[in-house]
Amino acid sequence: MNNIILLAETGSDIPRETAGKYGIYLVPMHVTFSDHTRDDGTFPAEEICEFYDRTGILPKTSGSVPEDFEKIFDEIHAAHPDSQILYLAYSSVTTCSYQSAQIAAQNRDYITSVDTRQVSAGQYAVVITMAKLLKEHPEWTIQDARAKAEELSANIHMCFIPDKLEYLRAGGRVSNAVAICGTLLKIHPRIEILDGYLRATQKSRGTMKKIVPHLVQEYLDDPAVLKDEIWMICAPGLDKEIQKSAELTALSCGVKKVTWVKTGGVITTHGGPGAFGIVKRTR
């Protein structure tokens, strides 16, 4: 047995029950609702949308702080004193979490960190795939696991499209004029994770019902894609018919399994309700 314990942020959108199934520990990121801060993962993401609709104020997100990591490092080490912790981090260029972990890891020689350069379902795919691989390879050392996690992180690709630009506008990521024009013209930016950054790479025009199946087909039209499993992102309020259409399109492209990942507080704050995304793994 390799005695390796996986750790990730709640921003990976791994449900608590799934984390428990694979023995994964989650360290909280944070969401501030005007004058009070709550741990991500302790409340349904729908509350983000309800708060914004009620107040017109978009909650703010923040990464895990050193104290969060110190607490969970000590908790894991107390429960598994002979194990190594493999921390598979939320993209370090988007949050302070990775830096916080490095501060907390000082003088703790049982911690290995990998920047996955992924967020949300992209990080989910890395962490859950690694959990399965560790079970399949009990002979792996922490060095073996780290190398595989780095390789896997480089071969995971994620993109998503928001239903509306309102949350991007409220968060200062697009101007008011761009948001208004985008709404009027039904323009949806495609946001991809590239080298850890969230980049708007293309624009699609039309309804989500029209755009989503086209995105799925285009994203999977690549001989390098491993089609044993892909992951789809579902934000609060995403139409059930759109989900069904996306999944049927993926299956028609040869995908064997579709795993849906519901957005948590962090990514919902950025993408808003009704957003859709897709994650693939390549060779």
Side-chain angles (χ1 to χ4, degrees):
M1 186 174 180
N2 47 47
N3 288 326
I4 297 171
I5 305 293
L6 296 181
L7 172 66
E9 293 91 345
T10 54
S12 62
D13 294 336
I14 299 172
R16 293 282 175 180
E17 56 271 21
T18 303
K21 175 183 176 181
Y22 291 104
I24 299 164
Y25 283 77
L26 299 173
V27 62
M29 298 176 83
H30 308 284
V31 181
T32 299
F33 293 78
S34 190
D35 59 354
H36 67 284
T37 299
R38 301 167 69 182
D39 286 351
D40 177 43
T42 62
F43 59 91
E46 285 80 0
E47 291 189 22
I48 300 281
C49 309
E50 293 166 2
F51 182 83
Y52 180 70
D53 289 344
R54 186 175 72 253
T55 67
I57 300 171
L58 185 67
K60 298 182 183 299
T61 62
S62 57
S64 311
V65 297
E67 290 77 13
D68 293 322
F69 281 101
E70 289 170 1
K71 179 179 178 180
I72 200 142
F73 286 161
D74 289 344
E75 177 186 342
I76 297 171
H77 191 57
H80 308 277
D82 298 324
S83 295
Q84 292 285 314
I85 298 173
L86 179 58
Y87 164 49
L88 301 177
Y90 198 96
S91 174
S92 66
V93 298
T94 66
T95 176
C96 67
S97 291
Y98 186 82
Q99 183 180 7
S100 294
Q102 303 319 296
I103 293 170
Q106 292 178 14
N107 301 318
R108 290 177 167 91
D109 61 2
Y110 50 87
I111 298 161
T112 299
S113 301
V114 173
D115 179 4
T116 68
R117 303 186 300 282
Q118 301 288 341
V119 306
S120 185
Q123 187 185 11
Y124 177 111
V126 172
V127 177
I128 298 299
T129 302
M130 276 301 302
K132 294 176 180 178
L133 288 171
L134 286 172
K135 286 191 174 184
E136 293 172 8
H137 297 278
E139 78 282 1
W140 278 2
T141 65
I142 189 64
Q143 291 79 17
D144 296 328
R146 177 176 187 167
K148 188 62 182 181
E150 290 173 343
E151 175 193 323
L152 184 60
S153 298
N155 290 328
I156 292 290
H157 309 274
M158 167 183 159
C159 75
F160 73 95
I161 49 175
D163 182 24
K164 297 180 177 63
L165 299 183
E166 178 62 19
Y167 278 52
L168 294 175
R169 181 205 62 77
R173 294 173 180 83
V174 300
S175 69
N176 190 52
V178 168
I180 292 173
C181 289
T183 300
L184 291 174
L185 299 175
K186 296 183 179 179
I187 294 174
H188 304 265
R190 180 187 298 188
I191 300 172
E192 298 189 59
I193 311 303
L194 301 174
D195 295 324
Y197 292 91
L198 284 74
R199 307 281 196 192
T201 57
Q202 296 184 38
K203 295 178 182 178
S204 300
R205 185 173 178 180
T207 64
M208 290 287 280
K209 287 184 178 180
K210 173 186 174 183
I211 293 169
V212 167
H214 177 73
L215 169 66
V216 172
Q217 190 165 30
E218 182 181 326
Y219 209 59
L220 297 177
D221 186 21
D222 178 355
V225 175
L226 296 173
K227 295 185 178 179
D228 54 329
E229 182 177 15
I230 65 164
W231 301 262
M232 288 186 176
I233 301 167
C234 171
L238 180 64
D239 190 293
K240 296 293 184 183
E241 287 300 313
I242 294 176
Q243 294 183 52
K244 182 178 179 181
S245 175
E247 188 162 339
L248 288 174
T249 302
L251 295 174
S252 72
C253 292
V255 171
K256 295 182 175 61
K257 179 182 179 183
V258 175
T259 296
W260 284 95
V261 180
K262 184 179 179 181
T263 60
V266 173
I267 202 70
T268 299
T269 302
H270 300 300
F276 168 83
I278 182 169
V279 177
K280 65 184 179 181
R281 180 184 173 191
T282 58
R283 295 179 176 82

